[in-house]
Amino acid sequence: MSESSAPFETLPDRTLRAGTTRRRFMTWMGVVGGVAFTPQLLPQRSAHADPVAASGNPFTLGVASGDPLPDSVVLWTRLARTPLQPGGGMPAAPVPVDWEIASDRGFRTVVQRGSTAAVPEDGHSVHVDVRGLSPATDYFYRFRSGGDVSPAGRTRTAPAAGSRLAELTFAVISCQAWTDGYFNALGDLARKSPDVVFHLGDYVYEYEIKPATVRRPTTEVPQSAWAEMTTLADYRDRYALYKLDPDLQAAHRSAPFICAYDDHEVENNWAAGIPEKGQDPAAFIVRRAAAFKAWWENMPVRAALRPDGPDLRMYRRFEFGDLARFSVLDTRQYRSDQVNNDKDAPQDAATADPARTITGGAQESWILDGLGTSGALWNVLAHQTTIADLARNKGGARNVSMDGWSGYEASRARILDGATRRRAGNLVSIVGDIHRNVVSELKSTYTSDAPTVGVELAGTSIASGKDGQDSDDNDKAIKAASPHVKFGNAQRGYMLNRLDRREWRAEFHVADSIASRGLPLHRRAVVTIPSGRPEIHVG
Ligand code: FE
Ligand code: CA
């Protein structure tokens, strides 16, 4: 117990003053009674329980951490005693929440603690930005509210800026349609305890849940989820439904997450201020603001990302010593509308139009600046839709997606040619969205001879698309028409990456079925990329 080492002056405003901390710590000890890491065994209420904690454990939605920096991580929870009821069974008033972070699983060496409030305006979510931590260090954290103690999570800070780093392990996940099956991939990755997990979007889906097709018990579905979500209350309910999943909770407890939204956190294939199909744009902006607010409330991200109405500065950078620089992109909020009615189509004057963009001008400059100034060995773009053309032949024509970068050819060329001009080494794109594993060579164009300038690793979905198969019709069609695609698979799972100075090693873990909880995954393939050459080796 190193209470004196806590740098209180660096803590957030609402942290307890040093003088009150010891008393508060004694209260935790009274609650937890020295029983380590097994909060389910603890008494549900202390003798001095907060009156608002009079009924039910409020930690039903789990805990999470995220956005690791060398000296900081965000600790997250959201209180809900009855998570499937509107408002989560919480009072329309602030609820005090204590937090503590320790260097050991048993919480014998607590390095910092504090107190904050879960307020109804933020859906009773809590985002604690703990500062003053040590770099490249594992920590353990938990919350307390009234007499209830949350499960404990493990997190890890990033290495010191610029420090020499030998190895980084990180998972890449996306697309967890609750209706389509169980999150066994998340349970599996939780057991791997990577340094960090990148969630590249479609954390929730906005669609109405249909009793005829849902593969989970309908008793778990909140009333609002029988319709498409459009209001802040709807979005909050949907996150609650997903957050109740035990495998998702386990994944969050296992490692810090870096989260990006894609389309379904708002609406399928939205583009900037333009909804999917012809709804009122004014109503869509209100909806986008609600969706962004709920995303911020439910993700382990900093207060700085709190949306300002319909605007959310989500794109941001993470450094892991001198080994990797990750630029997390937002290719939804600033993009030009999809052309060709957003249907797969041949590339044409519209997809090539240099006035169109998938990043927006400001983010494009930010991406290129990040590539130009990077001292990292690996330069990673972590984002939503594929940069590579995943072409398929249809009726004799070479068709590509209008929603991915293939529908924004000039924008793509500006980023990839810009990366080459800036000599950004070892460029790798990691994406989700397509519900399949696809490994491709990155080129600034795929319709004439162009050099390979990087590698794209598209990771499959956690659940979206139901079970899938190793190679479906689309996989075969993509491989037939896209010679730059070197690996494909259409099952559910996740990507586990081990990055070092010699190579990038991507393991594709997949499941044969996600029809029930606990079904196993297996390692389908290992793809390696040697440092210094954008080559794809499939093993
Ligand atoms: Fe998806
Ligand atoms: Ca998507």
Side-chain angles (χ1 to χ4, degrees):
M1 167 61 214
S2 61
E3 185 171 42
S4 60
S5 70
F8 290 104
E9 67 282 3
T10 67
L11 295 177
D13 290 339
R14 284 184 291 212
T15 297
L16 287 175
R17 286 170 292 109
T20 62
T21 299
R22 181 173 295 278
R23 179 188 59 77
R24 187 57 64 112
F25 176 67
M26 296 312 290
T27 305
W28 269 109
M29 289 307 289
V31 172
V32 302
V35 181
F37 217 67
T38 51
Q40 67 276 17
L41 299 178
L42 303 175
Q44 290 299 297
R45 286 171 200 92
S46 74
H48 306 289
D50 188 314
V52 297
S55 61
N57 189 308
F59 296 107
T60 55
L61 303 180
V63 301
S65 70
D67 283 14
L69 301 177
D71 67 339
S72 168
V73 290
V74 176
L75 308 181
W76 173 93
T77 192
R78 176 182 157 203
L79 306 184
R81 290 198 186 87
T82 53
L84 297 177
Q85 301 299 315
M90 298 302 295
V95 177
V97 179
D98 298 334
W99 57 270
E100 63 179 10
I101 185 164
S103 57
D104 67 304
R105 275 181 194 280
F107 289 88
R108 280 176 286 275
T109 308
V110 172
V111 296
Q112 288 189 43
R113 72 183 61 81
S115 189
T116 184
V119 301
E121 294 77 14
D122 291 340
H124 290 100
S125 63
V126 164
H127 303 74
V128 179
D129 190 357
V130 184
R131 297 275 166 175
L133 299 174
S134 299
T137 302
D138 278 5
Y139 288 98
F140 303 87
Y141 62 94
R142 61 187 175 186
F143 299 90
R144 189 192 71 104
S145 185
D148 295 303
V149 176
S150 76
R154 170 258 179 186
T155 190
R156 185 171 178 82
T157 48
S163 63
R164 188 171 173 87
L165 181 65
E167 188 180 77
L168 180 71
T169 303
F170 63 98
V172 174
I173 57 175
S174 62
C175 295
Q176 48 195 30
W178 185 90
T179 51
D180 283 6
Y182 287 89
F183 297 167
N184 300 322
L186 293 172
D188 199 74
L189 96 76
R191 291 185 283 277
K192 304 288 201 301
S193 276
D195 295 323
V196 62
V197 176
F198 285 85
H199 197 304
L200 299 179
D202 293 358
Y203 194 104
V204 291
Y205 281 77
E206 81 279 19
Y207 299 124
E208 66 178 283
I209 292 179
K210 295 191 172 76
T213 54
V214 63
R215 289 176 108 186
R216 302 242 202 167
T218 55
T219 52
E220 296 178 16
V221 176
Q223 190 58 39
S224 66
W226 298 114
E228 184 160 323
M229 58 181 178
T230 58
T231 68
L232 178 56
D234 296 345
Y235 283 102
R236 284 173 172 166
D237 284 355
R238 200 69 63 103
Y239 279 102
L241 169 67
Y242 280 62
K243 291 271 187 183
L244 284 169
D245 183 274
D247 291 310
L248 178 57
Q249 292 194 8
H252 277 300
R253 285 198 308 273
S254 77
F257 274 44
I258 293 173
C259 296
Y261 51 70
D262 187 22
D263 52 336
H264 290 288
E265 285 87 347
V266 181
E267 189 208 25
N268 182 51
N269 286 13
W270 65 282
I274 301 158
E276 182 184 11
K277 41 189 179 233
Q279 304 98 314
D280 173 22
F284 177 72
I285 287 297
V286 173
R287 180 181 183 181
R288 193 178 97 181
F292 280 0
K293 181 66 172 15
W295 181 84
W296 176 81
E297 290 174 357
N298 283 282
M299 294 298 118
V301 295
R302 290 195 164 73
L305 266 67
R306 175 194 288 272
D308 179 9
D311 302 317
L312 197 169
R313 166 68 192 261
M314 188 268 273
Y315 64 86
R316 59 206 195 277
R317 237 175 318 260
F318 295 92
E319 314 271 354
F320 289 83
D322 66 349
L323 190 61
R325 164 175 278 193
F326 291 85
S327 295
V328 178
L329 311 187
D330 179 348
T331 59
R332 289 285 167 199
Q333 193 177 175
Y334 316 104
R335 67 159 70 193
S336 310
D337 196 13
Q338 296 94 343
V339 292
N340 294 315
N341 292 319
D342 202 3
K343 298 282 188 290
D344 281 19
Q347 284 156 331
D348 58 13
T351 61
D353 182 355
R356 295 179 63 252
T357 176
I358 194 166
T359 59
Q363 184 178 203
E364 180 177 302
S365 299
W366 175 88
I367 294 168
L368 293 172
D369 287 350
L371 293 169
T373 59
S374 176
L377 188 62
W378 297 91
N379 287 286
V380 190
L381 302 178
H383 56 121
Q384 294 84 23
T385 62
T386 61
I387 294 178
D389 278 4
L390 303 185
R392 291 177 292 170
N393 286 318
K394 274 190 186 161
R398 183 180 179 281
N399 278 23
V400 295
S401 165
M402 293 297 109
D403 188 54
W405 293 53
S406 47
Y408 300 80
E409 292 179 273
S411 197
R412 175 171 68 189
R414 287 194 295 270
I415 297 294
L416 294 186
D417 292 342
T420 303
R421 274 197 299 276
R422 286 163 180 77
R423 302 179 193 282
N426 293 319
L427 181 68
V428 178
S429 162
I430 54 174
V431 298
D433 180 57
I434 54 175
H435 309 169
R436 58 184 60 246
N437 292 308
V438 181
V439 180
S440 317
E441 295 168 339
L442 283 179
K443 299 168 184 284
S444 64
T445 177
Y446 293 89
T447 48
S448 60
D449 255 356
T452 299
V453 299
V455 174
E456 181 160 80
L457 302 164
T460 193
S461 59
I462 292 297
S464 309
K466 301 190 174 172
D467 297 347
Q469 49 189 302
D470 185 57
S471 182
D472 59 3
D473 290 347
N474 281 331
D475 180 70
K476 293 181 179 75
I478 290 167
K479 286 169 178 165
S482 307
H484 50 277
V485 168
K486 304 302 182 189
F487 174 69
N489 160 277
Q491 293 172 301
R492 308 289 76 82
Y494 69 100
M495 202 197 314
L496 185 65
N497 302 281
R498 294 179 206 284
L499 191 54
D500 63 25
R501 312 194 76 84
R502 194 171 54 88
E503 67 178 19
W504 179 311
R505 175 187 164 91
E507 299 180 356
F508 293 89
H509 294 264
V510 301
D512 291 331
S513 170
I514 56 166
S516 60
R517 176 161 288 134
L519 290 175
L521 283 84
H522 62 275
R523 198 177 70 190
R524 168 63 183 81
V526 179
V527 169
T528 55
I529 309 163
S531 176
R533 301 188 306 281
E535 297 172 0
I536 296 164
H537 300 278
V538 181

